Amino acid sequence: PYWARLPKIVSGEAGMHRWVWDLHYATPESTSRSYPISAIPHDTPRHPLGPRALPGKYTVRLTVDGKNYSAPLSIKMDPRVKIPFAGLERQFDMETRLAAMMTESAKAVTEARSVQEQLQKLSGQASGQVQDAVGALEDQLSADEVAALEAPYVPHPVAGFG
């Protein structure tokens, strides 16, 4: 789609290059990705995003041909935002925990898919008690259950809003 943000890779050519950090930590693993409704042509990131970086001092590191370079970077609070820093810290902690849970959940779904595929292969080859055991495990890992785990979250209406 024309609104999607394409991956940006810093050129390996000599000279000056610009790379813009969107102020988010690494994206959590996820079984599904989507685009927000607020699309920006050629610059809309896929969601979920990683936790948003807090205002503070950071170190930017670059490695080229085995040489390491570093420079300080400061993220300053937008002066128009009146949220106390403690509130931003709580938000960051929550986002970090949610990202970790998403990654853990995605890994579990991926593993369940793998086990399910292996069981399907075994069910055609097994016989007797082994076939019965495989069948019992297949019942526990139905395609509908895996699909339910993978389904995108649909927000529920909140009283007083909308």
Side-chain angles (χ1 to χ4, degrees):
Y2 74 90
W3 60 84
R5 177 183 292 167
L6 299 175
K8 295 179 180 159
I9 299 170
V10 178
S11 171
E13 299 295 317
M16 218 164 151
H17 302 284
R18 178 183 294 203
W19 184 79
V20 178
W21 179 30
D22 69 356
L23 301 179
H24 286 89
Y25 281 81
T27 301
E29 289 184 37
S30 177
T31 56
S32 65
R33 303 235 176 247
S34 62
Y35 292 100
I37 190 103
S38 57
I40 301 166
H42 310 291
D43 197 29
T44 303
R46 287 175 60 171
H47 285 199
L49 298 173
R52 188 181 319 265
L54 288 171
K57 298 194 182 300
Y58 293 82
T59 300
V60 178
R61 290 186 179 86
L62 175 67
T63 303
V64 179
D65 293 331
K67 286 184 158 183
N68 295 317
Y69 304 90
S70 64
L73 171 74
S74 292
I75 297 177
K76 295 185 179 179
M77 181 79 164
D78 183 335
R80 299 168 295 177
V81 175
K82 303 301 180 200
I83 299 171
F85 188 75
L88 292 176
E89 286 179 312
R90 287 181 35 210
Q91 179 180 348
F92 177 78
D93 290 343
M94 180 194 65
E95 289 176 349
T96 302
R97 286 194 316 271
L98 285 173
M101 288 188 289
M102 285 183 72
T103 295
E104 186 178 320
S105 174
K107 286 180 179 180
V109 169
T110 301
E111 187 176 332
R113 273 194 207 144
S114 174
V115 169
Q116 188 176 34
E117 289 171 12
Q118 293 172 45
L119 288 173
Q120 287 172 348
K121 288 179 185 175
L122 278 175
S123 66
Q125 301 168 357
S127 62
Q129 289 181 334
V130 173
Q131 189 173 21
D132 294 342
V134 168
L137 285 172
E138 282 182 323
D139 289 343
Q140 291 178 15
L141 293 170
S142 73
D144 290 340
E145 290 170 324
V146 174
L149 287 171
E150 295 173 346
Y153 174 73
V154 177
H156 300 285
V158 177
F161 293 94

